Amino acid sequence: VETTKTKGADFDAVVIGAGFGGLYSVYKLRNEQGLNVKAFDSAGDVGGTWYWNRYPGALSDTESFVYRYSFSGELLQKGRWKTRYLTQPEILAYMNEVADTYDLRRSFQFNTRVTATHFNDETGLWHVTTDKGETVTAKYLITALGLLSATNTPKYKGIDSFKGQMLHTGYWPEGVELKGKRVGVIGTGSTGVQVITATAPIAGHLTVFQRSPQYVVPIGNTPQDEATIAQQKANYDDIWKQVKSSVVAFGFEESTVPAETASPEERERVFEAAWQRGGGFYFMFGTFCDIATSQIANDAAADFIKKKIKEIVKDPATAKALTPRDIYAKRPLCGNNYYEVYNRPNVTLADVKADPIAEFTATGIRLESGAEHELDVVIFATGFDAVDGNYVKMDMRGRGGVTMRDKWKDGPLGYLGMMETDFPNLFMILGPNGPFTNLPPSIETQVEWIADTIEMMEGKGLKAIEPTEAARDEWVTLCRTIADMTLFPKAESWIFGANIPGKKNAVMFYMAGIGNYRNAINAVKDGGYQTMIFDREMASA
Ligand code: FAD
Ligand code: NA7
């Protein structure tokens, strides 16, 4: 059992979150560095995203061989999967196995929500308060709160009068029965696509309430044979080297060929091959190198998908309603025969951009035209208050009582996606302005950098670290500059906070890829942390 090294503190570090980020943080700081760590999660157990998102069809669309930790060769060799992608139960089982293997659970207090984190200027410690009414103190605060974790449920007139069941995909209880029921799904993002394709075959009737049509390519979730898996396991050194120096970290080589200059035949051939192969990120980044940056290339990809919709969907009016009119620049989606769902006799598409939801009634949903959809169950696949959602829910206060809500009122800010000015010794996993990638490798990258930084602090007997305002501003500007080189800001999605009514549009990601990101953060570390202020209260004294 660990003893606390920090004088006057209950713990050396508090970790919030038991997903990929929180588990690995406890492993690094406690198992490897011998710090005394206390961890919390409002969930009943480990898993994070994969604890909460238990809806039918829940799946990672990062391929199985790279949706996992890379830090342990032994763990990698033990990996088990049967298909190209992992289902939610498989990922949850994996996270439980990780927790068991490294005895991580004993540091966690579950079913406990952290409500406040206050930095005390006098003691230099974080005071962390929970909904159980307890407060603990620690030198370091590691927040692995999840970037797609605070659920977004739109407020509709009459919602309380609805007599049926209402569910959010990101807060899904065990034992929900959809078989034979009249189900409504609101939302057609990546979650909506998954829940729609999984529910259509079992529901009595499925009504999809679609606001924005989406570009969805096939996922290609094929069985994987033992030989393929064995080969992946044998090549992990090379695989991770490639992943961590790539752009999106999805385990494929990004294309270096521009679509702008490719012939129509070449484009058709490459897009068709990618359509057959499957994978949303692959379609956007593995086919040509300029789909996310060139309007011409983007139009070519979008036109290909539009043509597919027309071919697949039998009813022309439904096909038209399913066809996106904006550019192809949201998180790229993929699904299992998504557009085919709308050929089923038990599926109805309600275009709620053309005919918005007016209100919920006791028996269903009424549209503005007066059309009524009778429903037993309404599923909100309406997404998340991304990136800063869980931060602003807590009462976070840094130096001099400055609040995070106030600091981030015009949009969240972050240095290297991990730190913020006036919040000493706070390390955010997947905080604002971090990488936009397959996430486990980025999470590991951040946790390792944080662990190295803490080790350096402890080695030198330093009390506090925080970025300079100039460094933070420069990083935020860099993220804006990079984002503006892409087409992503031209589409309205959670990537820039556009999905939450009233949320200010802000750049929340570093979009230059994991390889560049790793170089940038390692340069700060290897350069002796020139962009940080150490022991600021002592410096000013
Ligand atoms: P999370 O797993 O979100 O864990 C955060 C934890 O913090 C939660 O358990 C939450 O309860 C806890 N928490 C938050 N606030 C508090 C508080 N105040 N007090 C106590 N506990 C708190 N990423 C990919 O790379 N590829 C994919 O294919 C992919 N698919 C996804 C599919 C879905 C449906 C969703 C929702 C996300 C998906 N993601 C995917 C993103 C996914 O969230 C990350 O890959 C990864 O799981 C994030 O891990 P994390 O530890 O950072 O956060
Ligand atoms: P998304 O991608 O934010 O999708 C949410 C969907 O819900 C999207 O189709 C929205 O339409 C729709 N939505 C949101 N609010 C409303 C209202 N008020 N009325 C009608 N429709 C609405 O969330 P997901 O959960 O699918 O995915 C988030 C990430 O989690 C995903 O990228 C994965 O990485 C995991 P809109 O497009 O805004 O018109």
Side-chain angles (χ1 to χ4, degrees):
V1 169
E2 301 73 25
T3 51
T4 304
K5 295 183 175 63
T6 312
K7 274 205 198 84
D10 300 322
F11 299 95
D12 297 308
V14 162
V15 171
I16 313 174
F20 273 95
L23 289 181
Y24 192 41
S25 298
V26 172
Y27 171 80
K28 288 295 284 185
L29 298 181
R30 192 199 73 183
N31 294 24
E32 284 193 354
Q33 291 176 209
L35 298 182
N36 196 12
V37 178
K38 173 81 177 181
F40 297 100
D41 200 306
S42 56
D45 206 339
V46 299
T49 289
W50 307 102
Y51 174 90
W52 295 111
N53 288 264
R54 297 174 189 232
Y55 58 85
L59 184 86
S60 161
D61 65 0
T62 300
E63 289 189 47
S64 306
F65 74 115
V66 287
Y67 196 72
R68 56 189 61 247
Y69 291 117
S70 71
F71 71 85
S72 156
E74 207 183 324
L75 194 61
L76 286 168
Q77 295 308 317
K78 278 204 296 190
R80 290 180 306 278
W81 62 93
K82 294 196 175 66
T83 46
R84 195 148 150 228
Y85 303 94
L86 299 167
T87 61
Q88 173 271 331
E90 290 174 300
I91 305 169
L92 189 57
Y94 169 76
M95 311 225 34
N96 274 276
E97 187 183 346
V98 170
D100 291 338
T101 304
Y102 302 106
D103 189 23
L104 302 176
R105 232 181 234 102
R106 73 174 162 87
S107 291
F108 277 89
Q109 184 173 322
F110 292 108
N111 299 304
T112 306
R113 171 167 290 282
V114 172
T115 52
T117 60
H118 293 178
F119 182 75
N120 184 303
D121 293 277
E122 252 111 78
T123 60
L125 299 178
W126 281 99
H127 290 234
V128 177
T129 304
T130 75
D131 62 356
K132 302 283 182 298
E134 65 199 321
T135 298
V136 299
T137 58
K139 177 171 176 181
Y140 301 103
L141 176 61
I142 289 91
T143 49
L145 309 182
L147 84 172
L148 293 157
S149 172
T151 55
N152 165 48
T153 307
K155 304 201 179 356
Y156 289 109
K157 193 177 153 203
I159 199 158
D160 294 331
S161 67
F162 181 59
K163 296 274 192 297
Q165 192 175 16
M166 285 190 283
L167 300 159
H168 192 290
T169 51
Y171 192 78
W172 195 273
E174 283 293 339
V176 174
E177 186 52 83
L178 298 174
K179 199 162 171 245
K181 297 216 169 126
R182 297 169 303 174
V183 180
V185 173
I186 304 178
T188 52
S190 75
T191 300
V193 166
Q194 291 183 354
V195 81
I196 287 163
T197 50
T199 304
I202 54 172
H205 194 89
L206 173 67
T207 307
V208 176
F209 297 89
Q210 171 196 273
R211 191 164 66 181
S212 306
Q214 300 266 17
Y215 296 96
V216 185
V217 307
I219 185 165
N221 192 11
T222 46
Q224 276 199 331
D225 54 72
E226 285 303 323
T228 306
I229 295 171
Q231 205 191 1
Q232 287 169 333
K233 286 187 176 178
N235 287 324
Y236 261 130
D237 286 350
D238 290 339
I239 288 169
W240 290 119
K241 214 167 134 198
Q242 187 278 332
V243 164
K244 291 178 188 179
S245 59
S246 72
V247 181
V248 291
F250 266 72
F252 59 80
E253 298 274 352
E254 285 90 7
S255 173
T256 53
V257 179
E260 260 199 16
T261 49
S263 68
E265 296 73 29
E266 175 68 358
R267 289 178 188 166
E268 179 71 18
R269 189 185 64 73
V270 171
F271 288 140
E272 183 59 36
W275 186 271
Q276 297 306 330
R277 176 196 185 276
F281 274 80
Y282 184 82
F283 197 89
M284 192 180 269
F285 296 99
T287 49
F288 293 103
C289 64
D290 53 352
I291 291 175
T293 50
S294 147
Q295 190 62 56
I296 293 167
N298 195 272
D299 286 345
D303 287 347
F304 180 87
I305 301 173
K306 288 177 187 174
K307 188 188 76 185
K308 287 287 186 188
I309 298 172
K310 207 168 167 192
E311 281 166 17
I312 294 167
V313 182
K314 296 204 177 98
D315 172 49
T318 306
K320 190 164 173 241
L322 283 166
T323 303
R325 289 169 289 274
D326 53 355
I327 62 167
Y328 177 41
K330 297 182 182 178
R331 182 211 196 270
L333 306 187
C334 54
N336 180 20
N337 293 332
Y338 176 65
Y339 296 117
E340 284 84 346
V341 160
Y342 299 92
N343 291 334
R344 296 179 62 96
N346 71 329
V347 175
T348 306
L349 179 69
D351 178 351
V352 298
K353 197 161 258 171
D355 187 4
I357 294 175
E359 62 177 338
F360 278 53
T361 65
T363 54
I365 291 177
R366 186 182 295 135
L367 305 182
E368 281 183 3
S369 65
E372 295 215 25
H373 294 274
E374 302 229 317
L375 302 165
D376 304 309
V377 184
V378 174
I379 298 173
F380 289 92
T382 43
F384 303 89
D385 185 354
V387 183
D388 58 328
N390 276 333
Y391 284 86
V392 295
K393 271 190 182 177
M394 294 194 298
D395 175 13
M396 296 187 83
R397 296 185 194 194
R399 282 193 189 282
V402 56
T403 70
M404 202 63 108
R405 281 181 201 136
D406 204 38
K407 242 182 194 300
W408 290 358
K409 63 181 187 304
D410 293 324
L413 304 168
Y415 179 52
L416 310 177
M418 294 185 278
M419 301 178 82
E420 174 57 307
T421 58
D422 295 321
F423 282 74
N425 300 349
L426 166 69
F427 296 99
M428 302 177 280
I429 317 282
L430 304 182
N433 300 316
F436 184 76
T437 64
N438 166 41
L439 290 167
S442 286
I443 290 170
E444 271 186 320
T445 293
Q446 294 188 327
V447 174
E448 285 159 13
W449 188 91
I450 291 163
D452 287 348
T453 301
I454 289 178
E455 191 169 45
M456 177 280 296
M457 300 269 302
E458 293 303 291
K460 293 190 171 168
L462 293 165
K463 288 206 174 89
I465 180 171
E466 64 206 277
T468 66
E469 205 158 296
R472 195 273 322 269
D473 288 347
E474 206 177 302
W475 181 259
V476 171
T477 305
L478 175 68
C479 290
R480 164 59 71 188
T481 306
I482 295 164
D484 284 344
M485 289 163 77
T486 76
L487 297 169
F488 280 96
K490 296 205 162 82
E492 290 198 349
S493 78
W494 59 263
I495 297 173
F496 294 89
N499 63 325
I500 302 297
K503 187 164 174 171
K504 293 247 171 78
N505 181 291
V507 172
M508 301 202 285
F509 288 97
Y510 171 86
M511 299 190 112
I514 189 172
N516 289 325
Y517 176 74
R518 286 171 67 89
N519 291 341
I521 67 169
N522 287 331
V524 171
K525 187 175 77 182
D526 300 340
Y529 299 93
Q530 302 291 316
T531 50
M532 304 287 178
I533 310 167
F534 291 100
D535 296 0
R536 184 170 126 195
E537 77 281 19
M538 290 159 73
S540 58

